[in-house]
Amino acid sequence: MKAIKNVLISVYHKEGISRLLDILSRKGAILYSTGGTYDYIKDQGYDVNTVESLTGYPSVLGGRVKTLHPAVFGGILARGRNPEDERTLAEMNVPRFDLVVVDLYPFEHTVAQGSSHEATIEKVDIGGISLIRAAAKNYADVVVIPSFQYIDPFLELFTAQDGQTTESQRRYFASAAFGVSSHYDTAIFNYFNRDNGVDGLRISSDSGRVLRYGENPHQEGRFFGDFDGVFEQLHGKAISYNNMVDIDAGVHLAEEFEETVFAILKHTNACGLATGSTVLEAWEAALAGDPVSAFGGVLVTNAVVDREVARAIDKLFFEVLVAPGFEEEALAILKKKKNRILLKQKIQPSRFSKKQVKSVLNGYLIQDKDREAIYGPRLSVQTQRSPEEKELKDMIFAMKAVKHAKSNAIVLAKDGRLLGSGTGQTSRIDALKQAVDKGNGFDLDLNGAVMASDAFFPFADSVEEAHNAGITAVIQPGGSRRDQESIDFCDQNQMTMVFTGKRHFKH
């Protein structure tokens, strides 16, 4: 056990230290501080010494240099059981610090506010980060509070143990300190490296969210990120790992559409998807695409949920409903089932990171997200017959859908609605057969529908199968050595085919 006598405090936000100051002063701790922190402590009526009284030097360069001095860091890094360190401190007339309290400059907040580069640079903390690392390194003799979130845990120990801490407790705070410093440095690196292309992957998050479980109940799961910055949970149980993955897939899919859209997802694939003039119309069309798979699904719309659509949705068992807003009457209807997760979406995925990271083997894969937009003017007609306006509209709809389906993937669509999809198949022809079976299984009329493929057709068999099912228009990336065979079949059967020039594999 080690008592606390000398304390060094250097914080950006001052208001959070009031209770700490009160308890430390009642224990007779001697306080040292800098600049604005010193003024704040003094104004609160506590005795406090300036760091300058130790260093003999004033703060310089407009406050850029305050604590970077041997008198300060000697008092932090001196080893308690090292006679030479003790002699050095005595010669320098420097106290040994037992507690170091730091709150760093708000670099991430400054970046998030869109501040100028000059203002952002001034929020790169130098002295504070050095104090944290020094105190954490010497945890055998020093306790470090590296941010305000650790004040309460420290005070709980401090009061329960009569102003003393154990080495294991100090090591805990040292771990927290290195976590704070590494996260801070990661944010700075990522800011500087946005346009510079230095090779390296740095990911850090302090806001862990415990999930109900992982992919299966025997697996633990956590989400690291600012979930509350994206959604407000209005109702329901805790979110699971699978919920989170489906929510992510759903909001990315829905963002593809400017018109009102409703998506129903199972295991990240859309089993129902439709646009409509109203949110109710979109919902009914999406549900009709596969009412069986919709059971227990994740629902996502880009429109406000009103009373009428809430009544319709209420008839189905579902896990999650995501929308940009809910009318009060709609909430009253949907909240009748206590476990339903209702999420109000605050921001669009376009504001998320533009990179995608996946753990594989003993490392990570990183790539740009597939943000390729699908527009009519970019399409290249390959057949003698050009698509009619309605067909072209359905082609773009279907391509947006297949872009977000697991490969190999085929989507059949008509009138702005998903009629059938084949996803995650080992061959393209199997994906098509699955999509046709889905549509026929729910008595959906495939005549005049369009087919979208996430990658090229290696043979003409898929186009032949589609024609037999009633498909009249095909949209695909193109790029096969045997593309002409598929094009020729379309010409011989009055079908139309367009190329996008962009593949959309998804694994």
Side-chain angles (χ1 to χ4, degrees):
M1 299 290 284
K2 194 175 189 312
I4 291 174
K5 180 180 178 182
N6 296 302
V7 180
L8 176 61
I9 305 176
S10 180
V11 295
Y12 182 84
H13 296 101
K14 316 299 187 290
E15 295 76 12
I17 60 172
S18 298
R19 182 165 171 251
L20 176 67
L21 293 173
D22 180 62
I23 292 176
L24 289 174
S25 65
R26 285 194 275 111
K27 285 292 183 181
I30 302 171
L31 308 181
Y32 294 83
S33 195
T34 62
T37 308
Y38 171 85
D39 294 337
Y40 177 83
I41 295 173
K42 198 76 172 174
D43 291 344
Q44 297 298 304
Y46 299 103
D47 290 333
V48 59
N49 302 287
T50 63
V51 166
E52 290 85 348
S53 68
L54 297 178
T55 65
Y57 287 91
S59 170
V60 297
L61 303 180
R64 279 192 163 197
V65 182
K66 295 188 284 285
T67 58
L68 296 172
H69 193 279
V72 175
F73 283 86
I76 298 172
L77 288 165
R79 292 158 290 190
R81 291 169 294 280
N82 187 299
E84 185 175 341
D85 287 3
E86 293 289 346
R87 285 194 298 271
T88 301
L89 289 184
E91 291 169 2
M92 295 174 64
N93 193 27
V94 170
R96 174 189 298 281
F97 288 111
D98 308 295
L99 172 65
V100 174
V101 183
V102 178
D103 174 51
L104 297 169
Y105 290 168
F107 179 83
E108 287 183 282
H109 178 71
T110 305
V111 173
Q113 284 185 317
S115 302
S116 68
H117 180 68
E118 291 73 18
T120 301
I121 290 300
E122 289 306 312
K123 290 300 184 289
V124 176
D125 205 315
I126 303 300
I129 205 78
S130 300
L131 293 174
I132 286 175
R133 291 177 63 84
K137 177 177 180 177
N138 201 24
Y139 71 88
D141 296 291
V142 183
V143 188
V144 57
I145 299 178
S147 72
F148 281 153
Q149 73 185 91
Y150 294 101
I151 289 180
D152 286 344
F154 167 78
L155 289 178
E156 185 177 337
L157 293 174
F158 189 76
T159 54
Q161 297 172 178
D162 194 28
Q164 299 185 84
T165 59
T166 66
E167 183 169 323
S168 64
Q169 290 164 349
R170 294 191 293 276
R171 182 164 180 158
Y172 164 81
F173 285 101
S175 297
F178 285 121
V180 168
S181 66
S182 65
H183 178 80
Y184 196 78
D185 285 340
T186 294
I188 296 170
F189 170 79
N190 288 333
Y191 170 78
F192 272 88
N193 203 40
R194 290 184 298 186
D195 303 312
N196 293 323
V198 174
D199 193 22
L201 173 64
R202 305 287 187 276
I203 300 173
S204 179
S205 176
D206 290 331
S207 52
R209 180 188 184 102
V210 177
L211 304 176
R212 289 208 313 273
Y213 48 79
E215 206 158 11
N216 299 291
H218 63 274
Q219 297 169 268
E220 292 184 1
R222 294 176 70 87
F223 169 75
F224 285 91
D226 186 12
F227 185 85
D228 294 334
V230 183
F231 302 105
E232 177 185 356
Q233 184 165 351
L234 304 177
H235 184 70
K237 60 187 176 181
I239 294 172
S240 72
Y241 180 101
N242 293 333
N243 292 156
M244 195 72 74
V245 174
D246 284 338
I247 290 167
D248 177 72
V251 296
H252 277 90
L253 172 59
E255 192 185 27
E256 295 276 357
F257 298 88
E258 294 182 4
E259 59 268 60
T260 297
V261 70
F262 224 115
I264 306 170
L265 286 95
K266 290 291 285 291
H267 301 290
T268 74
N269 292 304
C271 58
L273 179 70
T275 57
S277 58
T278 67
V279 65
L280 177 60
E281 181 181 303
W283 161 253
E284 290 176 339
L287 181 63
D290 188 346
V292 174
S293 296
F295 182 86
V298 168
L299 319 180
V300 180
T301 182
N302 60 1
V304 173
V305 174
D306 57 28
R307 178 182 60 183
E308 287 71 23
V309 75
R311 284 175 173 169
I313 295 170
D314 187 53
K315 300 173 185 177
L316 177 75
F317 168 73
F318 63 90
E319 285 274 322
V320 183
L321 172 58
V322 180
F326 296 81
E327 291 183 357
E328 287 299 322
E329 289 180 272
L331 281 177
I333 294 168
L334 295 170
K335 284 183 176 181
K336 290 178 181 178
K337 302 289 177 63
K338 67 177 183 178
N339 287 330
R340 283 175 174 167
I341 299 169
L342 305 179
L343 299 176
K344 180 179 178 181
Q345 187 175 348
K346 301 177 184 178
I347 64 173
Q348 291 296 321
S350 55
R351 294 176 58 183
F352 301 168
S353 170
K354 293 179 174 58
K355 299 291 184 180
Q356 219 169 11
V357 181
K358 184 177 184 179
S359 63
V360 295
L361 303 175
N362 61 345
Y364 301 90
L365 290 174
I366 183 167
Q367 67 171 352
D368 298 330
K369 284 186 176 178
D370 185 358
R371 293 177 172 272
E372 185 69 22
I374 300 158
Y375 297 114
R378 296 185 181 181
L379 305 180
S380 173
V381 179
Q382 300 296 310
T383 50
Q384 296 171 7
R385 183 172 81 80
S386 295
E388 298 175 3
E389 183 178 349
K390 176 183 175 298
E391 286 177 317
L392 182 60
K393 187 176 180 180
D394 282 335
M395 283 176 164
I396 294 173
F397 171 91
M399 202 66 199
K400 289 178 178 179
V402 83
K403 172 185 172 183
H404 292 268
K406 289 294 180 70
S407 300
N408 288 312
I410 293 288
V411 159
L412 308 180
K414 184 169 70 171
D415 299 327
R417 59 187 287 192
L418 176 67
L419 299 182
S421 63
T423 61
Q425 298 302 300
T426 53
S427 73
R428 199 149 301 280
I429 188 66
D430 283 345
L432 172 57
K433 290 178 178 178
Q434 184 187 60
V436 171
D437 287 345
K438 278 282 187 181
N440 289 334
F442 294 109
D443 296 323
L444 300 174
D445 184 10
L446 300 183
N447 290 300
V450 306
M451 172 173 69
S453 176
D454 64 334
F456 65 66
F457 296 107
F459 308 103
D461 56 352
S462 292
V463 178
E464 296 174 15
E465 185 82 19
H467 171 69
N468 294 334
I471 305 301
T472 60
V474 180
I475 183 171
Q476 59 139 322
S480 169
R481 289 182 297 177
R482 305 178 72 165
D483 277 341
Q484 194 59 47
E485 295 178 15
S486 295
I487 295 169
D488 290 343
F489 182 88
C490 288
D491 285 337
Q492 294 162 12
N493 292 277
Q494 293 75 53
M495 297 174 71
T496 181
M497 177 181 287
V498 301
F499 285 179
T500 66
K502 299 289 182 180
R503 191 181 72 184
H504 293 291
F505 271 167
K506 185 180 180 186
H507 295 97

